[in-house]
Amino acid sequence: MGHATSLSHFLILSSSRFSRLGSLTRLLSKPTSLSGSFSSISVTGQGFRCCCSVATDDTSPSVKKRVVSGVQPTGSVHLGNYLGAIKNWVALQDTYETLFIIVDHHAITLPYDTRQLGKATTDTAALYLACGIDVSKASVFVQSHVPAHVELMWLLCSSTPIGWLQKMIQFKEKSRKEGVENASVGLFTYPDLMTADILLYQSDFVPVGEDQKQHIELAREIAQRVNHLYGGKKWKKLGGYEIFRGGSLFKIPEPLIPQAGARVMSLTDGLSKMSKSAPSDQSRINLLDSKDLIVDKIKRCKTDSFAGLEFDNAERPECNNLLSIYQIVSGKKKEEVMEECKDMSWGTFKPLLADALIEHLSPIQARYQEIIAEPEYLDKILSEGADRAEELGAVTMRNMYQAMGYYQRRRY
């Protein structure tokens, strides 16, 4: 989760779990044809690629599948967060039951400014709404306002082999920056918290970027492991059993990968993901950047010396990134952008891209200012979202404590 895979058969897991990542990647690379309402989803004409068999335990046509996703409240929300996650959420909320989380627990796994965390949290929530999240259709809440996230994380940590976490690429990358000896335990167990965010709400789908595929595979395998260790007949002997899921404690979540905008790259390096943690602000477009600043960043962004513009040339990562951004913010199809821009120079294209970004972001910025000016309105939305999340999560936690053999509190 900006700081959110189908293995159809039940698996008993071993320390060689990531040997299956190759088959997972092959699966994720192929779109699956779906029947029903899901196949009608689209984002700026591109659609979503779902790598799953859409089997469900909820047979009623009135029951929507559930989608859960979140973004960290660290730094400013940037174009990569928006195009890679939040913009796609807007397209999902009409078709799915959606829960969108400001994942503040994740934000403290690396050094941070305690004076800014609260403001960054409300700013992120306001931007969710300004970008089009409709609270009549979706629940928006703060992760730390629902204690069950951390409770479930601990239960999952107790069932997750250390070897699985040691294989996680993001831990290796981020701990290298801090120094392995100085990296926090929270950074190491971050994937278990992300898994708890997903499994707590019995999520059907999780929108993820290409760089999050390893995390969603881990979430799936932890769910399968817990189902094997504590579900089925073992759980039934303790007095519980979810008949509609065959005794499983968790649904196995499926990844939902947008075909466009899944990974927006840095403006200073087309091979690196646009990131809040990058030291240079020049590397990203923040959603609240002024018009002049957007023009300046696009003017100074890294390009190349090739003639013309083109998608999908491995030798021109910056060109592919900038064209992809233009494609999404302009709402045009890839073929239309190729035809429009193929003979352009960078001097012609950069102002075009800057204007498209400004036109796209200006309504978001205006709506953000309206929302942030009404703190009571925002607090009410976040409180109601947390109430809904607690209601859903309580069922999962009750089942988990029962299946794991905990002595349950008697209330008088």
Side-chain angles (χ1 to χ4, degrees):
M1 294 190 177
H3 87 359
T5 316
S6 182
L7 303 175
S8 58
H9 300 291
F10 189 86
L11 299 171
I12 299 177
L13 307 172
S14 68
S15 60
S16 62
R17 56 175 294 279
F18 283 109
S19 65
R20 291 193 294 280
L21 187 56
S23 62
L24 167 68
T25 303
R26 289 192 296 274
L27 177 67
L28 289 172
S29 67
K30 298 179 180 179
T32 299
S33 176
L34 301 175
S35 60
S37 60
F38 176 77
S39 61
S40 66
I41 292 177
S42 64
V43 178
T44 61
Q46 292 300 311
F48 277 91
R49 184 163 87 248
C50 179
C51 326
C52 53
S53 55
V54 191
T56 177
D57 300 305
D58 303 315
T59 56
S60 171
S62 63
V63 177
K64 290 184 176 181
K65 299 289 199 317
R66 186 172 295 150
V67 167
V68 176
S69 193
V71 169
Q72 284 193 44
T74 51
S76 299
V77 176
H78 57 68
L79 194 67
N81 301 137
Y82 171 59
L83 297 183
I86 301 173
K87 188 174 187 294
N88 296 329
W89 296 351
V90 176
L92 298 174
Q93 61 188 353
D94 289 327
T95 306
Y96 297 101
E97 179 187 3
T98 46
L99 291 88
F100 300 127
I101 317 169
I102 298 96
V103 288
D104 53 345
H105 282 317
H106 290 290
I108 69 170
T109 57
L110 292 171
Y112 70 101
D113 187 343
T114 57
R115 298 167 298 179
Q116 294 298 317
L117 181 59
K119 182 179 186 302
T121 299
T122 54
D123 283 353
T124 302
L127 278 169
Y128 278 14
L129 304 181
C131 289
I133 298 301
D134 184 345
V135 293
S136 69
K137 303 173 183 177
S139 297
V140 178
F141 61 97
V142 179
Q143 183 185 35
S144 63
H145 293 181
V146 184
H149 284 260
V150 177
E151 288 185 62
L152 182 56
M153 175 200 176
W154 179 250
L155 300 184
L156 298 179
C157 280
S158 300
S159 298
T160 305
I162 289 177
W164 292 9
L165 300 180
Q166 289 174 330
K167 296 177 186 292
M168 300 305 290
I169 294 171
Q170 283 200 3
F171 172 73
K172 293 178 181 179
E173 292 177 347
K174 293 183 178 180
S175 63
R176 193 179 300 122
K177 294 178 182 179
E178 298 297 315
V180 176
E181 294 299 321
N182 294 322
S184 70
V185 174
L187 183 61
F188 183 65
T189 58
Y190 175 106
D192 270 310
L193 180 56
M194 179 180 286
T195 299
D197 298 336
I198 296 166
L199 300 185
L200 181 61
Y201 303 110
Q202 303 296 340
S203 309
D204 293 288
F205 301 113
V206 182
V208 291
E210 293 289 340
D211 60 324
Q212 293 290 330
K213 289 189 292 189
Q214 192 185 36
H215 277 129
I216 191 65
E217 186 195 3
L218 179 63
R220 289 172 54 81
E221 296 209 6
I222 290 174
Q224 291 168 328
R225 181 177 175 87
V226 171
N227 285 343
H228 173 69
L229 291 175
Y230 302 108
K233 293 181 180 179
K234 299 172 187 176
W235 183 20
K236 189 174 183 179
K237 289 178 180 178
L238 294 173
Y241 197 80
E242 292 286 2
I243 296 175
F244 71 92
R245 284 206 302 270
S248 295
L249 288 155
F250 296 121
K251 288 184 179 181
I252 309 302
E254 307 281 2
L256 195 60
I257 301 177
Q259 290 183 339
R263 200 174 193 201
V264 178
M265 311 308 285
S266 167
L267 297 182
T268 56
D269 177 9
L271 297 176
S272 299
K273 184 179 178 181
M274 188 175 287
S275 172
K276 298 175 183 180
S277 60
S280 173
D281 191 59
Q282 171 63 31
S283 68
R284 55 189 169 266
I285 298 291
N286 302 305
L287 295 196
L288 300 180
D289 280 348
S290 68
K291 295 178 181 179
D292 289 342
L293 187 54
I294 291 173
V295 169
D296 183 63
K297 286 182 177 181
I298 296 300
K299 183 178 180 179
R300 296 167 56 196
C301 71
K302 183 179 178 182
T303 53
D304 56 43
S305 57
F306 289 85
L309 304 179
E310 59 184 329
F311 284 99
D312 303 324
N313 184 336
E315 296 182 3
R316 307 185 68 185
E318 288 81 17
C319 183
N320 185 71
N321 183 47
L322 296 176
L323 285 174
S324 296
I325 292 172
Y326 177 66
Q327 175 198 339
I328 300 174
V329 299
S330 66
K332 297 178 180 180
K333 294 180 179 180
K334 186 174 182 178
E335 295 75 16
E336 293 174 327
V337 173
M338 289 174 62
E339 183 62 29
E340 178 185 5
C341 302
K342 63 182 180 180
D343 297 321
M344 284 186 181
S345 66
W346 286 115
T348 303
F349 177 72
K350 283 186 174 182
L352 181 69
L353 174 58
D355 287 345
L357 281 166
I358 291 168
E359 182 179 357
H360 193 91
L361 295 181
S362 291
I364 294 173
Q365 294 175 352
R367 178 60 181 146
Y368 165 83
Q369 294 298 337
E370 294 173 359
I371 294 169
I372 211 70
E374 300 183 48
E376 291 184 1
Y377 167 74
L378 188 58
D379 288 345
K380 184 174 184 292
I381 286 173
L382 294 177
S383 179
E384 290 175 349
D387 288 343
R388 172 60 177 156
E390 285 185 325
E391 178 185 340
L392 294 172
V395 178
T396 297
M397 293 310 301
R398 183 169 62 249
N399 289 343
M400 278 294 290
Y401 281 129
Q402 182 187 49
M404 292 182 72
Y406 277 79
Y407 177 74
Q408 300 295 299
R409 176 183 177 184
R410 269 58 171 177
R411 297 182 182 276
Y412 297 96

